Amino acid sequence: MCQLFIEAESERWLSRTKSLRIEGVVTSIRLENFFWDVLAEIGFRDDMSVNQLITKLYFESQEAELDLSNFTSFLRVCCARYLSLVADGVLSRCEKTPIKKNGIDIILSQENQRTLARRRCFTREPSV
């Protein structure tokens, strides 16, 4: 099983730092190449560059009053959730179809239900 993971291209887990300007301030974000690729895919859907996507996520997170103390972790989770939605058939890859606000409440509700179902499935009950 581990061979599937350890023999992947090492380029995927190497980190890369990108600089961008948010609110007039130059900042840098360090992520693994794998996540940069996923962010590029998400941005492609909405006809945005990675920098535009990150800036949009940053501002929308601020509007929602999220704790942005670890923004890079937030970006990694965004990527993982996107891939999970693709795996569940909610979204399809390589489409230039924007992820719109319409239907987001339904997608979030269904995602929460699937998460709870997975936890039940993969959580081992203590032996009696």
Side-chain angles (χ1 to χ4, degrees):
M1 181 241 0
C2 292
Q3 185 177 5
L4 173 67
F5 301 108
I6 63 174
E7 291 191 16
E9 294 178 35
S10 61
E11 184 72 22
R12 289 178 177 226
W13 65 75
L14 295 178
S15 295
R16 189 168 78 227
T17 303
K18 287 191 175 198
S19 294
L20 64 146
R21 187 177 300 272
I22 298 176
E23 294 185 318
V25 177
V26 175
T27 188
S28 60
I29 296 174
R30 185 172 182 81
L31 289 169
E32 295 75 15
N33 288 325
F34 177 83
F35 293 109
W36 287 120
D37 290 344
V38 175
L39 288 170
E41 183 176 325
I42 297 168
F44 170 81
R45 296 181 70 96
D46 283 275
D47 203 27
M48 287 188 274
S49 69
V50 172
N51 285 6
Q52 289 170 325
L53 173 66
I54 290 171
T55 301
K56 184 175 179 90
L57 287 168
Y58 179 83
F59 284 126
E60 288 186 11
S61 298
Q62 268 192 331
E63 287 174 20
E65 298 180 2
L66 298 180
D67 176 12
L68 298 176
S69 60
N70 196 340
F71 190 63
T72 54
S73 289
F74 170 76
L75 293 174
R76 286 184 187 94
V77 171
C78 288
C79 292
R81 289 184 60 220
Y82 169 77
L83 293 173
S84 180
L85 291 168
V86 168
D88 289 337
V90 176
L91 300 173
S92 59
R93 295 182 91 166
C94 299
E95 279 189 15
K96 201 160 183 133
T97 307
I99 301 173
K100 297 182 180 179
K101 289 185 179 183
N102 297 349
I104 293 292
D105 291 338
I106 294 169
I107 291 172
L108 289 171
S109 174
Q110 292 171 344
E111 180 188 34
N112 290 338
Q113 291 171 5
R114 286 189 304 273
T115 298
L116 292 173
R118 284 186 184 115
R119 285 182 184 152
R120 285 191 300 271
C121 184
F122 298 113
T123 301
R124 297 178 192 259
E125 293 296 320
S127 301
V128 179

